[in-house]
Amino acid sequence: MDKRLRHIALLRCFDAAARHQSYSLAAKELSITQAAVSQQIRNLEAHFKVKLFNREGRAMRLTKQGKTLSASVATAFNELSYGFDRIQAEPEAGVLTVTASPSFCSRWLVPRLWKFSALHPNVQVRALASPQYEDVRHSDIDVAIRQGEKQVNNVHQEMLFVDPVFPICSPRVYQDENLTTPDKINQCRLVEAINSGQVGFSWKDWFKLAKVDIDPNCYKWVEVTTWEMGINAVLSGHGIFLTAGSMAQDLIDSGALIKPFDIQIDPGLKFSLLYDEESPRITRINVFTEWLKIELAAKNVQKKT
């Protein structure tokens, strides 16, 4: 081991002084005297034969060498704190932070969280809507539900479910456009999420599957940025939308929307589950992910085999 690490107590004092740029504030944080802080800094400077601070009025400013050492010491202490956190498992009770895409979060997850809270009232769920693949190892995020199968290193990752994709419309549009056969769709205004092609399907894919020959130049398009916006559009009677089942199944069940055809892209949208198996909140994570899988199965979402 590097013998210089025996000075870790001095480095702790140096880190406090560097952060506060004040020996008196460092002394207050460490519950020692200002003279003791000054002495420890002098000892550290003497050992390394380098000047770490310059006095400017009442403040102690880091020298160039001091700034270099401060950055390394801060990183090292942060890593130690992170290691301490990871070996100290938290109880089930507490806050659990879950992130999902904006539409899945608002259309599927949040409306069902009351069921989880009823089963586990001691776990407070924070639901964050985000389209990004966040770092579940080095952030406050405990569980991520993500569209697609992008591989993320050093975390637990599994296919959560595969969601078929199909057209939906309002009952009024269904009746007015007489959507009895797939070819009738060419008279409708098509609503599409602009990112749908990025996850492997689009209206063109559905037309091909339905054997409907439509000239792309004749399309009447409305593009939206989220699934939820598309669903809101067709709820108001604005055309027909190609969506994943999890986003609209409750509205189909209630009769607010109609699935006019049985033709669907299957497999369609894929959702992945990500979390850190070494997280100190793993007990909390396990009860949530177990509930999540049960809830998905109860809603007949197609699971990966």
Side-chain angles (χ1 to χ4, degrees), residues 137-154:
R137 282 177 60 87
H138 301 95
S139 71
D140 293 332
I141 294 171
D142 299 306
V143 177
I145 303 167
R146 285 286 163 256
Q147 295 178 18
E149 298 179 276
K150 176 181 176 181
Q151 293 301 308
V152 180
N153 295 329
N154 302 317

Side-chain angles (χ1 to χ4, degrees), residues 244-271:
S246 61
M247 307 293 181
Q249 192 59 52
D250 59 331
L251 295 171
I252 296 172
D253 292 341
S254 70
L257 291 175
I258 287 178
K259 178 182 177 183
F261 312 109
D262 290 332
I263 302 167
Q264 59 185 28
I265 301 172
D266 195 1
L269 189 60
K270 298 178 180 179
F271 286 82

Side-chain angles (χ1 to χ4, degrees), residues 92 116-124:
E92 178 179 314
F116 176 77
S117 296
L119 294 172
H120 302 279
N122 56 346
V123 179
Q124 292 80 51

Side-chain angles (χ1 to χ4, degrees), residues 33-287:
T33 66
Q34 182 176 339
V37 171
S38 180
Q39 182 60 52
Q40 291 193 50
I41 297 298
R42 285 197 299 272
N43 290 344
L44 193 62
E45 290 176 328
H47 176 79
F48 289 109
K49 297 181 175 58
V50 67
K51 187 73 171 175
L52 297 173
F53 288 94
N54 287 319
R55 178 175 290 281
E56 295 182 10
R58 294 184 178 181
M60 300 302 296
R61 303 299 185 190
L62 287 165
T63 64
K64 181 179 179 181
Q65 294 86 346
K67 290 178 180 178
T68 299
L69 182 61
S70 175
S72 296
V73 168
T75 299
F77 283 160
N78 285 336
E79 283 297 315
L80 281 172
S81 297
Y82 178 64
F84 295 151
D85 289 342
R86 292 174 70 83
I87 64 173
Q88 293 179 302
E90 297 181 15
E92 178 179 314
V95 176
L96 182 77
T97 302
V98 180
T99 180
S101 64
S103 293
F104 185 82
C105 204
S106 60
R107 288 292 308 132
W108 194 93
L109 181 61
V110 171
R112 292 170 172 80
L113 280 181
W114 67 269
K115 299 180 182 180
F116 176 77
S117 296
L119 294 172
H120 302 279
N122 56 346
V123 179
Q124 292 80 51
V125 177
R126 294 175 64 238
L128 303 181
S130 169
Q132 306 300 323
Y133 268 78
E134 292 86 353
D135 186 348
V136 296
R137 282 177 60 87
H138 301 95
S139 71
D140 293 332
I141 294 171
D142 299 306
V143 177
I145 303 167
R146 285 286 163 256
Q147 295 178 18
E149 298 179 276
K150 176 181 176 181
Q151 293 301 308
V152 180
N153 295 329
N154 302 317
V155 300
H156 173 86
Q157 182 172 359
E158 64 179 280
M159 182 65 67
L160 186 59
F161 67 97
V162 180
D163 212 5
V165 174
F166 48 80
I168 56 170
C169 64
S170 68
R172 180 172 65 82
V173 167
Y174 178 78
Q175 293 177 356
D176 290 350
E177 303 295 345
N178 191 28
L179 296 178
T180 54
T181 57
D183 60 287
K184 297 288 185 69
I185 205 170
N186 61 18
Q187 59 201 21
C188 295
R189 187 171 299 277
L190 304 178
V191 182
E192 182 170 270
I194 60 175
N195 68 339
S196 61
Q198 298 175 8
V199 292
F201 63 85
S202 66
W203 270 113
K204 293 181 181 179
D205 298 312
W206 189 86
F207 292 147
K208 182 177 180 180
L209 187 65
K211 297 185 170 115
V212 174
D213 186 16
I214 299 182
D215 183 354
N217 296 323
C218 298
Y219 289 170
K220 293 179 289 185
W221 286 100
V222 174
E223 291 185 338
V224 294
T225 57
T226 67
W227 304 96
E228 187 174 21
M229 289 173 65
I231 289 170
N232 287 338
V234 294
L235 276 171
S236 66
H238 196 91
I240 185 166
F241 180 50
L242 191 67
T243 185
S246 61
M247 307 293 181
Q249 192 59 52
D250 59 331
L251 295 171
I252 296 172
D253 292 341
S254 70
L257 291 175
I258 287 178
K259 178 182 177 183
F261 312 109
D262 290 332
I263 302 167
Q264 59 185 28
I265 301 172
D266 195 1
L269 189 60
K270 298 178 180 179
F271 286 82
S272 297
L273 174 68
L274 300 92
Y275 60 85
D276 180 8
E277 293 179 296
E278 297 180 357
S279 168
R281 294 174 291 280
I282 191 61
T283 301
R284 220 170 292 159
I285 290 170
N286 285 339
V287 296

